[in-house]
Amino acid sequence: MNWHAVRAIYLFEMARTKRTLLQSVLAPVITTSLYFVVFGSAIGARIPEIEGVSYGAFIVPGLIMLNLLTQSVSNASFGIFFPKFSRTIYEILSAPVSHFEIVLSYVGAAATKAVILSLIILATATFFVPLRIEHPLWMIAFLLLTAVSFSLLGFILGIWADNFEKLQLVPLLIITPLTFLGGSFYSIDMLPAGWRTVSLFNPVVYLVSGFRWSFYGSADVAVGVSLAMTLLFLAVFVGVATWMLRTGYRLKP
Amino acid sequence: MDPIISISALSKTYASGFSALKTVDLDIRRGEIFALLGPNGAGKTTLISIVCGLVNASAGSVRVDGHDIVRDYRAARALVGLVPQELTTDAFETVWNTVSFTRGLFGKPPDPAYIEQLLKDLSLWAKKDARLMMLSGGMKRRVLIAKALSHEPRILFLDEPTAGVDVELRRDMWQLVRRLRDSGVTVILTTHYIEEAEEMADRIGVIAKGALILVEDKAVLMTKLGGKQLTLQLAAPLAEVPPALARYGLVLGKGGKTLVYRYEVGRGEGGEGGEGSDPAGDGAIAGLLQDLAAAGIMFTDLHTTQRSLEEIFVSLVSEREAPGTDERGNRAGPAGEGAR
């Protein structure tokens, strides 16, 4: 292992966050706070409890998941896209680093940022709603697994995208809608039977459901299924990223 | 001594179908300065990019100090530093950070004393905390060199190092390259300036259209390339060069209307060039003109030309394709009036 290289890339990526602290941390925190004010207090007060949890508290896991997914994808995709765009990627490609080390450092940094942000949002949430976490270790496990999986997806997008538009397109057109429709703000049990079946094809449902289970012990789908799906995403994304690096797809002519 | 880089049967065809390298074989000697000379688009950057791991080869193999660049890429790449042609830098990084970053990337533990000396050697010390976007083009070029040297490589690739570089930096760079060579570093540079190759290199490889046309010690190549040629416009076409003039090695142009005589200026012995080079040496022009008159060959005009690098490329390429048929040359000014 070339640990010096992993450390160099990881710290470089983390330093990028520090430079853009306002945009990276403050913006999501403010956005989430607005969600709590609007959905938690203003509207939430008129919505009955869901599975014994107040609506404001119910949406916390979904909101965190929403941020975790978008941040993982955008951090990781930008992290690898930008050196490609500015052509400084030559350095990474010519360095004695393995594919695993490249993924570990870029994805590791993106996942770290996304997890830190999620914890900040979790802390913010405690100011607005009463929270309880029944399975804290599982909560951390789902957080980490999801962050790594979707940072990998971001990494894949960053390699695939050859312009800024494409880089924005996937998060905007796919990730965000799937997250909103994935039970972040409601239980899919509340949906009519037909839509409930459709929802089961939305991968985000499994992520949100498992994560919410770690908070309140109730879930839309069995927690084992959530875990299995999360691991499946991880495996698929690992496979695609490995294939890209091995063939030099859009990196090496 | 075994070569430090051994390239064998290396080919590259891009996805577009463009064949950038055609079965290139090349050995780089340990500790030399090797100049890869060729016009734009000749394949210089592709060749370097493959050795450095930026481009996948279509066929063939490269060994760096005995390590295959694909199977044993870690050992191979750790030995190599690359200064790319384009000024690609992270705008927001500081000089110090970006150079330290590269050192880490190449698997070396931090060594602030070494980086400090490196930045001082490259006149970058005063700018160590400056962000890269604040630097001039020349300074960025220095930063790229510092990055390439940050992990103490044994081999340094400089891709068009002096393109768009001012005189001072060019001089600094040449000094640096010599210092590196003296410390045992092998330097491979690409250029399309013959002066640069002449100034720096121990050996020169000429590449054109993806093929390595020749590899030669500089001294030998300069003799070949440094020649002049005298072109005579004949009054009447000739079917062949008369046997009486055979010793001049004259070449008859198309349609028999021109005669070309190649010679070396101020050289006692003839060059080693191909057909048409001067076997007799200095002062032979007078003899040639006398012999032409004696043979009854009249000419309407004559001019001499110094072959430019571009012409040499063209002629080397066409010599490969059809030996001895190329007679092109820029007119360097009339050397005399018609002799009639």
Side-chain angles (χ1 to χ4, degrees):
Chain A
M1 276 294 276
N2 182 351
W3 285 112
H4 289 295
V6 174
R7 183 174 172 273
I9 298 175
Y10 184 87
L11 292 180
F12 177 89
E13 283 299 297
M14 295 309 281
R16 197 161 55 79
T17 314
K18 226 184 278 172
R19 279 199 302 267
T20 55
L21 205 61
L22 216 63
Q23 166 197 339
S24 305
V25 177
L26 208 59
V29 168
I30 289 178
T31 315
T32 316
S33 301
L34 289 174
Y35 276 116
F36 283 125
V37 171
V38 175
F39 289 107
S41 308
I43 300 175
R46 293 157 191 269
I47 298 176
E49 287 190 347
I50 302 171
E51 289 149 16
V53 181
S54 76
Y55 185 70
F58 179 84
I59 62 170
V60 171
L63 269 179
I64 293 175
M65 210 31 107
L66 176 69
N67 271 284
L68 189 65
L69 294 185
T70 42
Q71 289 296 320
S72 298
V73 170
S74 70
N75 280 331
S77 62
F78 193 78
I80 191 74
F81 175 81
F82 198 70
K84 237 176 48 151
F85 174 75
S86 68
R87 310 262 230 154
T88 51
I89 190 97
Y90 84 87
E91 240 190 328
I92 308 288
L93 296 176
S94 68
V97 290
S98 67
H99 299 153
F100 176 70
E101 287 153 5
I102 292 177
V103 171
L104 182 67
S105 41
Y106 277 106
V107 169
T112 305
K113 282 183 254 179
V115 166
I116 290 175
L117 203 70
S118 299
L119 294 177
I120 292 175
I121 290 170
L122 181 64
T124 313
T126 58
F127 291 107
F128 294 93
V129 289
L131 270 182
R132 66 169 201 274
I133 302 171
E134 287 189 7
H135 310 283
L137 288 180
W138 278 111
M139 194 275 282
I140 296 292
F142 273 115
L143 203 64
L144 291 179
L145 276 175
T146 310
V148 170
S149 303
F150 281 77
S151 294
L152 267 166
L153 177 62
F155 184 81
I156 291 166
L157 285 177
I159 292 180
W160 166 78
D162 44 20
N163 57 45
F164 275 99
E165 200 186 6
K166 280 190 187 171
L167 196 67
Q168 308 285 353
L169 214 63
V170 172
L172 194 71
L173 292 186
I174 300 176
I175 310 274
T176 309
L178 284 183
T179 316
F180 270 84
L181 300 175
S184 293
F185 299 103
Y186 54 87
S187 163
I188 61 167
D189 287 333
M190 294 153 82
L191 297 174
W195 285 110
R196 190 178 186 283
T197 311
V198 171
S199 290
L200 292 177
F201 287 95
N202 178 354
V204 178
V205 164
Y206 301 92
L207 303 173
V208 173
S209 170
F211 195 54
R212 187 175 290 135
W213 170 85
S214 69
F215 278 76
Y216 307 121
S218 62
D220 294 341
V221 290
V223 67
V225 177
S226 287
L227 184 64
M229 289 300 277
T230 313
L231 291 173
L232 180 70
F233 296 141
L234 184 64
V236 169
F237 297 151
V238 164
V240 176
T242 307
W243 172 82
M244 280 179 151
L245 289 171
R246 195 165 284 167
T247 57
Y249 176 80
R250 294 207 172 166
L251 286 175
K252 283 190 195 190
Chain B
M1 203 164 28
D2 60 323
I4 192 149
I5 297 179
S6 182
I7 297 170
S8 54
L10 196 67
S11 303
K12 176 63 188 178
T13 304
Y14 285 103
S16 62
F18 174 65
S19 177
L21 283 182
K22 296 160 188 156
T23 328
V24 169
D25 291 284
L26 174 65
D27 280 352
I28 304 291
R29 294 173 190 160
R30 216 166 276 272
E32 72 174 338
I33 299 177
F34 186 90
L36 201 55
L37 199 58
N40 290 327
K44 303 187 294 284
T45 301
T46 299
L47 183 62
I48 284 189
S49 299
I50 292 175
V51 177
C52 293
L54 306 182
V55 169
N56 290 323
S58 303
S61 65
V62 180
R63 298 178 81 80
V64 175
D65 203 18
H67 308 289
D68 184 274
I69 57 159
V70 179
R71 277 193 303 279
D72 202 3
Y73 67 93
R74 267 192 212 273
R77 290 183 194 170
L79 297 169
V80 177
L82 165 66
V83 182
Q85 191 173 333
E86 285 178 85
L87 293 174
T88 50
T89 51
D90 284 302
F92 303 104
E93 282 290 293
T94 65
V95 171
W96 178 271
N97 284 349
T98 198
V99 174
S100 304
F101 171 78
T102 309
R103 185 177 170 87
L105 204 54
F106 279 76
K108 288 276 175 116
D111 185 347
Y114 174 77
I115 303 284
E116 180 177 339
Q117 191 55 50
L118 184 61
L119 295 185
K120 283 178 177 165
D121 287 349
L122 285 160
S123 314
L124 282 169
W125 184 243
K127 299 273 183 190
K128 73 183 170 70
D129 296 318
R131 289 195 173 186
L132 296 175
M133 60 184 167
M134 305 301 286
L135 300 183
S136 67
M139 279 291 174
K140 280 183 186 157
R141 177 80 57 186
R142 287 173 198 262
V143 171
L144 289 180
I145 297 170
K147 280 163 81 77
L149 293 174
S150 66
H151 61 285
E152 303 157 66
R154 302 310 300 155
I155 303 163
L156 181 68
F157 281 98
L158 294 160
D159 197 358
E160 303 280 356
T162 52
V165 152
D166 63 28
V167 178
E168 190 191 359
L169 177 52
R170 186 175 299 203
R171 205 181 49 230
D172 283 3
M173 202 125 68
W174 288 355
Q175 273 172 6
L176 174 80
V177 167
R178 285 201 194 87
R179 277 209 307 275
L180 286 170
R181 198 254 315 264
D182 293 344
S183 70
V185 174
T186 307
V187 180
I188 297 115
L189 58 95
T190 72
T191 180
H192 51 259
Y193 300 120
I194 193 161
E195 305 79 28
E196 195 156 277
E198 191 171 3
E199 173 84 22
M200 305 291 304
D202 299 315
R203 281 199 311 152
I204 293 174
V206 178
I207 188 168
K209 293 180 183 169
L212 201 57
I213 295 168
L214 62 87
V215 177
E216 208 81 82
D217 279 342
K218 178 176 69 181
V220 175
L221 189 64
M222 284 305 154
T223 309
K224 267 188 193 177
L225 302 191
K228 294 185 78 171
Q229 65 180 33
L230 170 70
T231 306
L232 298 158
Q233 301 289 334
L234 300 180
L238 278 181
E240 57 173 8
V241 179
L245 299 171
R247 71 189 185 91
Y248 293 105
L250 300 174
V251 174
L252 206 52
K254 272 185 190 148
K257 287 180 196 154
T258 57
L259 263 182
V260 175
Y261 172 59
R262 289 188 192 167
Y263 63 102
E264 304 296 329
V265 181
R267 214 178 287 275
E269 52 195 272
E272 300 173 36
E275 294 173 58
S277 65
D278 173 24
D282 228 4
I285 292 182
L288 169 66
L289 296 183
Q290 280 174 8
D291 289 352
L292 281 170
I297 298 171
M298 296 299 159
F299 47 93
T300 56
D301 194 8
L302 59 77
H303 66 268
T304 65
T305 54
Q306 179 99 44
R307 296 207 298 167
S308 73
L309 183 63
E310 196 164 337
E311 288 159 341
I312 289 153
F313 288 133
V314 171
S315 88
L316 283 169
V317 172
S318 47
E319 269 169 31
R320 278 164 55 90
E321 286 163 358
T325 55
D326 182 70
E327 295 307 332
R328 287 204 266 162
N330 278 341
R331 202 183 170 96
E337 293 294 324
R340 200 134 58 161

